[in-house]
Amino acid sequence: MATIKDVAEKAGVSIGTVDRIIHNRGRFSQKTAKKVKKIIHDLDYRTNIQARNLSLSKQCSIAVLIPHPDQDSNYWQLPYNGMRTALEELATSHVSADFFHFDRHDKDTLFQALNMMAEKEYDAYVAAPLIPDEFLESYEDIFQSKPVVFFDTDIENSHRLLYIGQDSREAGHLAAKLINLLCHNKKMRVLIVTPATENDHLTSRILGFRERVTMEHDIIRIPTDNSNAVETYAEIKDQLKSKYQAVYVTDSSSHQIASLIKERNLNSDVALVGYDLVEKNIEYTKRGVIDFILTQRPFEQGYLSIKSLYQKVILGTVIQKEHFMPIDIITAENISCYVESLSGKT
Amino acid sequence: MATIKDVAEKAGVSIGTVDRIIHNRGRFSQKTAKKVKKIIHDLDYRTNIQARNLSLSKQCSIAVLIPHPDQDSNYWQLPYNGMRTALEELATSHVSADFFHFDRHDKDTLFQALNMMAEKEYDAYVAAPLIPDEFLESYEDIFQSKPVVFFDTDIENSHRLLYIGQDSREAGHLAAKLINLLCHNKKMRVLIVTPATENDHLTSRILGFRERVTMEHDIIRIPTDNSNAVETYAEIKDQLKSKYQAVYVTDSSSHQIASLIKERNLNSDVALVGYDLVEKNIEYTKRGVIDFILTQRPFEQGYLSIKSLYQKVILGTVIQKEHFMPIDIITAENISCYVESLSGKT
DNA sequence: AAGATATGCGTTAACGTTAACGCATATCAT
DNA sequence: ATGATATGCGTTAACGTTAACGCATATCTT
């Protein structure tokens, strides 16, 4: 691989001139520029990123704003692990991050987190803007013109650098397809179990599901304020098998339904499709109580959030505006490899 | 992030001494070693890989031995693309590769490729050892003690550095599960379509499938020497729908069956499950003619093959001996994101 | 006791890139 | 004509790490 020195020698100029031409920093004649550019092309010269980083020694401090890792059945642990892995890899490239957590059902905790975050200025931001309106209030003030990556949830017209996420409607379609397949006998109904607190993803997952499901369905909303979730589950338990042949859970809590099915010994009779490969869901999927788990690679979402900011801020790469993760279908027969690769990357 | 200079200053020694202690190159006293190691730990010093690479400027020339990219319905294009992407990323890290291709159904072409490869000595090797016995003949001579990555197919007891691949039996189990689900009416039979030329993967995929499938099944072998494949397909076409409710294709050629189904207008009546997201399969999957495609991330297999050798040879990382890829389930509802990410990587 | 070897350590060029700096000419304004 | 600015280019320190080299002492040979 040719170096800048090779180019300079072949062009009969100094590396300074070549550098100025490459970065268009002025102070060169069009004549030499043309000559140098031709040689760059001929030698297939590409700048050595390692040397570039070393020389620039750019910093990138990142503030990360996400829910507490243990919320949603420890779902947030997964992107968190992805971010930590990326930060580990990039530690010597001067990428570092501070984490700020909030309770996704409590707006006050979001404001607190935002205030704490505002105390210091960061070079870039990663956020899961689960409470969009409250986010937007502080958006201009805190995030300013710094690069911002949203993951999990997007905010339109927010001048964010990148959104990393999922196509929730497709995920709903897919769940419907699987439920349809699982229920050969379509006389009974399917129950949609979803958190009482609405959000875009859940709405889209339900919408997509309804568009494709061939069975009649009911919907039940689980209280998220810890009030009487227990009674709601008890209610579901009563109606399992007698009324419902299938259950579709729109968030990561399908293990709750799985445990009800287990209690009733209804294993193979009730079809169960849910989301997210959190620990509690893994066991039930291995045993076939949960028939299918859909995931959108949360580990990779976290990993990519950090890595993208590195590319933007340190390397100066132009990056795409959106990155949709594939929807993986996980079931007893293929879960092992997904679980193995859950913690590590590359 | 602390540098070696920081460590040296804090320990009151020179960076040379610190370096010798870190790499255990002798010429230091146990006393200073202890002090320096403590400081390294306290400061959480980690060596800057970029600077390390720059300084070492190690080379890694790789020889890659794989079938022609257009074999198996262009399947081999996929890992090939993964390798090219990795090589692109690592070009300035002094990683380069030469490619040697062979016809997977013609042993002579393998010997030719091996001979060409032997003309030059490489720092490392990547191979898809699809014809294991012939591979082993040349193994000792050519590969010697250099690091070797096998992907797609493994050879036991071969002192390879790493195997990147798939669990074919699980892939068979999974296919059986999907076929079972697709065929509510289990009165008819399922047809297993497989190439006449045996190999480990195909055998395992069939074995796994048979272990789990609940329907009666027949097997038909497609000639691979281009002799009378056309007649064999014609035979299948005659029996579609009248005799078979489902078809399981063990390699990447399910588009062949899909086109037969299309010709007969049997879309939704015949269940079709196959492997590999090659171009011809994509269109039929989008249209729902192919119900499910299973893949084992061939792009990533190629990408990781090169990247692993880089880690081993250039970075000196200790790497694992085996890497099994997840088996992805792809269907009309989730294919779009998989196709998008097919060509590019991070 | 004189030379040989071993031990412990510091210094430095090199890897490839960047960007500040300096030095000539050339062109401008007044 | 004289100073001011612009143009075109070369030189160089710095980024962090590595490994060769050199220089003292110390310990061993015979």
Side-chain angles (χ1 to χ4, degrees):
Chain A
M1 180 101 293
T3 71
I4 198 169
K5 203 174 152 196
D6 298 328
V7 175
E9 273 168 18
K10 194 153 184 187
V13 296
S14 74
I15 56 170
T17 305
V18 176
D19 183 64
R20 262 172 269 129
I21 291 168
I22 291 174
H23 299 95
N24 205 26
R25 291 198 277 110
R27 302 276 174 125
F28 56 84
S29 71
Q30 287 310 311
K31 198 179 138 203
T32 40
K34 199 172 172 186
K35 185 166 63 175
V36 165
K37 278 177 184 170
K38 175 159 168 32
I39 290 169
I40 285 177
H41 180 263
D42 290 350
L43 294 181
D44 190 30
Y45 165 80
R46 272 166 287 175
T47 119
N48 184 317
I49 300 175
Q50 334 226 28
R52 173 163 220 267
N53 276 336
L54 203 57
S55 175
L56 287 174
S57 58
K58 279 194 189 170
Q59 293 278 331
C60 181
S61 64
I62 302 174
V64 179
L65 187 59
I66 51 171
H68 293 293
D70 54 356
Q71 286 209 293
D72 292 309
S73 311
N74 294 319
Y75 174 80
W76 296 98
Q77 189 78 52
L78 303 173
Y80 179 79
N81 288 344
M83 293 191 211
R84 289 246 81 106
T85 302
L87 287 166
E88 204 65 28
E89 282 178 23
L90 298 172
T92 54
S93 304
H94 310 103
V95 178
S96 62
D98 289 341
F99 286 84
F100 301 91
H101 298 288
F102 60 95
D103 180 340
R104 62 171 295 181
H105 301 301
D106 182 350
K107 293 175 181 181
D108 289 341
T109 63
L110 174 62
F111 284 124
Q112 282 167 29
L114 280 165
N115 283 332
M116 284 187 62
M117 208 176 79
E119 278 174 19
K120 208 179 118 185
E121 196 169 321
Y122 292 88
D123 299 319
Y125 296 88
V126 173
L130 296 178
I131 320 179
D133 293 339
E134 277 68 16
F135 245 90
L136 282 180
E137 279 182 42
S138 312
Y139 192 81
E140 298 276 317
D141 291 347
I142 299 182
F143 298 92
Q144 292 173 2
S145 57
K146 298 293 172 60
V148 176
V149 172
F150 283 148
F151 82 98
D152 190 274
T153 300
D154 199 9
I155 299 183
E156 314 261 319
N157 314 320
S158 55
H159 300 288
R160 53 152 175 75
L161 174 72
L162 165 68
Y163 167 62
I164 297 174
Q166 35 194 277
D167 188 328
S168 304
R169 191 153 152 224
E170 268 201 5
H173 289 161
L174 195 53
K177 171 169 193 159
L178 296 171
I179 290 272
N180 290 343
L181 270 178
L182 286 163
C183 301
H184 315 157
N185 167 10
K186 286 165 188 165
K187 275 173 239 150
M188 286 206 294
R189 305 173 73 83
V190 52
L191 178 66
I192 304 174
V193 178
T194 195
T197 314
E198 284 281 345
N199 77 44
D200 284 353
H201 282 312
L202 301 177
T203 313
S204 299
R205 283 175 180 178
I206 294 171
L207 170 71
F209 185 78
R210 283 185 163 146
E211 284 172 341
R212 299 286 171 92
V213 74
T214 55
M215 299 167 77
E216 297 291 311
H217 53 268
D218 300 319
I219 189 160
I220 195 161
R221 294 175 191 280
I222 309 289
T224 38
D225 55 356
N226 286 5
S227 55
N228 47 356
V230 178
E231 288 111 62
T232 316
Y233 280 120
E235 195 182 318
I236 296 174
K237 187 177 168 187
D238 281 342
Q239 299 179 328
L240 278 179
K241 191 163 184 183
S242 65
K243 189 168 175 190
Y244 296 112
Q245 190 187 356
V247 181
Y248 169 49
V249 183
T250 64
D251 71 347
S252 57
S253 67
S254 40
H255 58 90
Q256 301 274 16
I257 304 297
S259 78
L260 299 184
I261 293 175
K262 257 294 166 202
E263 284 176 36
R264 291 235 142 174
N265 287 320
L266 304 178
N267 265 23
S268 53
D269 296 46
V270 178
L272 179 53
V273 173
Y275 290 93
D276 303 326
L277 213 57
V278 299
E279 218 170 309
K280 285 179 176 173
N281 287 344
I282 291 174
E283 204 46 48
Y284 285 116
T285 307
K286 280 185 182 165
R287 285 195 273 161
V289 185
I290 297 173
D291 292 288
F292 289 104
I293 283 286
L294 306 183
T295 84
Q296 316 227 9
R297 306 195 185 175
F299 181 94
E300 277 84 353
Q301 286 187 32
Y303 184 87
L304 273 179
S305 302
I306 299 295
K307 201 87 182 224
S308 303
L309 284 176
Y310 161 73
Q311 291 179 345
K312 167 73 180 178
V313 176
I314 307 257
L315 302 185
T317 318
V318 176
I319 64 176
Q320 48 189 344
K321 301 219 102 188
E322 266 150 8
H323 192 117
F324 286 95
M325 304 307 286
I327 312 169
D328 292 323
I329 306 173
I330 293 157
T331 181
E333 282 80 4
N334 69 345
I335 193 171
S336 56
C337 280
Y338 284 98
V339 172
E340 260 175 52
S341 61
L342 209 62
S343 43
K345 165 90 196 177
T346 307
Chain B
M1 180 102 291
T3 71
I4 199 170
K5 202 174 154 194
D6 297 329
V7 175
E9 272 169 19
K10 194 153 186 186
V13 296
S14 75
I15 57 169
T17 304
V18 177
D19 183 64
R20 261 172 270 129
I21 291 168
I22 290 173
H23 299 95
N24 206 25
R25 292 197 280 110
R27 303 275 172 129
F28 57 84
S29 72
Q30 288 309 311
K31 199 179 139 203
T32 40
K34 198 172 172 185
K35 184 166 62 177
V36 165
K37 279 176 183 169
K38 177 162 166 30
I39 289 169
I40 285 177
H41 179 264
D42 290 350
L43 294 182
D44 190 28
Y45 165 80
R46 272 167 288 177
T47 119
N48 183 317
I49 300 175
Q50 334 226 27
R52 174 165 219 268
N53 276 335
L54 203 57
S55 175
L56 287 174
S57 59
K58 278 194 189 170
Q59 293 280 332
C60 182
S61 64
I62 302 175
V64 180
L65 187 59
I66 52 171
H68 293 292
D70 55 355
Q71 286 209 292
D72 292 307
S73 311
N74 295 320
Y75 173 79
W76 296 98
Q77 190 78 51
L78 303 173
Y80 179 80
N81 288 344
M83 293 192 211
R84 289 246 81 106
T85 303
L87 287 166
E88 204 65 27
E89 282 178 25
L90 298 172
T92 53
S93 304
H94 309 102
V95 179
S96 62
D98 288 341
F99 286 84
F100 302 92
H101 298 288
F102 61 95
D103 179 341
R104 62 172 295 183
H105 300 120
D106 182 350
K107 292 176 181 178
D108 289 341
T109 63
L110 174 62
F111 284 124
Q112 282 167 29
L114 281 165
N115 283 334
M116 284 187 61
M117 207 176 79
E119 278 173 21
K120 209 180 117 185
E121 196 169 320
Y122 292 88
D123 300 319
Y125 297 87
V126 174
L130 296 177
I131 320 180
D133 291 340
E134 278 68 16
F135 245 91
L136 281 179
E137 279 183 40
S138 312
Y139 192 80
E140 297 277 318
D141 292 346
I142 299 181
F143 298 92
Q144 292 175 2
S145 57
K146 299 291 172 60
V148 176
V149 172
F150 283 149
F151 83 97
D152 190 275
T153 300
D154 200 10
I155 298 182
E156 314 260 320
N157 314 317
S158 55
H159 301 289
R160 52 152 177 73
L161 173 73
L162 164 67
Y163 168 60
I164 296 174
Q166 35 194 279
D167 188 329
S168 304
R169 195 158 149 217
E170 267 200 7
H173 289 161
L174 195 52
K177 172 169 192 157
L178 296 171
I179 290 272
N180 290 341
L181 270 178
L182 286 163
C183 301
H184 316 156
N185 165 12
K186 285 164 189 166
K187 275 174 237 150
M188 286 207 295
R189 304 173 74 83
V190 53
L191 178 65
I192 303 174
V193 177
T194 195
T197 314
E198 284 280 345
N199 77 44
D200 285 355
H201 283 312
L202 301 177
T203 313
S204 299
R205 283 175 179 178
I206 294 171
L207 172 70
F209 185 78
R210 283 185 163 146
E211 284 173 341
R212 298 287 170 90
V213 73
T214 55
M215 300 167 78
E216 297 291 310
H217 53 269
D218 301 318
I219 188 162
I220 194 160
R221 294 176 193 278
I222 309 289
T224 38
D225 53 357
N226 287 4
S227 56
N228 46 358
V230 177
E231 288 110 63
T232 316
Y233 280 119
E235 195 181 317
I236 295 174
K237 187 177 167 187
D238 281 342
Q239 299 178 329
L240 277 178
K241 191 163 186 183
S242 65
K243 190 169 176 188
Y244 297 112
Q245 188 186 358
V247 182
Y248 169 49
V249 183
T250 64
D251 71 348
S252 56
S253 68
S254 40
H255 57 91
Q256 300 274 15
I257 304 298
S259 78
L260 299 184
I261 293 176
K262 258 293 166 202
E263 285 176 36
R264 293 236 141 173
N265 288 319
L266 305 176
N267 265 22
S268 53
D269 297 45
V270 178
L272 179 54
V273 173
Y275 291 93
D276 303 324
L277 214 56
V278 299
E279 217 171 309
K280 286 180 175 173
N281 288 343
I282 290 174
E283 204 44 49
Y284 285 115
T285 306
K286 281 185 182 166
R287 286 194 273 160
V289 185
I290 298 173
D291 292 289
F292 289 105
I293 284 287
L294 306 183
T295 84
Q296 316 228 11
R297 306 194 185 175
F299 182 95
E300 276 84 352
Q301 287 188 33
Y303 184 87
L304 273 178
S305 301
I306 300 294
K307 200 89 182 221
S308 303
L309 284 175
Y310 160 75
Q311 291 180 346
K312 168 73 181 177
V313 176
I314 308 257
L315 302 185
T317 319
V318 176
I319 63 177
Q320 49 188 346
K321 303 220 98 188
E322 265 150 8
H323 192 117
F324 287 96
M325 305 306 286
I327 311 169
D328 292 323
I329 306 173
I330 293 157
T331 182
E333 282 78 5
N334 69 345
I335 192 171
S336 56
C337 280
Y338 283 98
V339 172
E340 259 175 54
S341 62
L342 209 61
S343 44
K345 165 92 190 172
T346 310

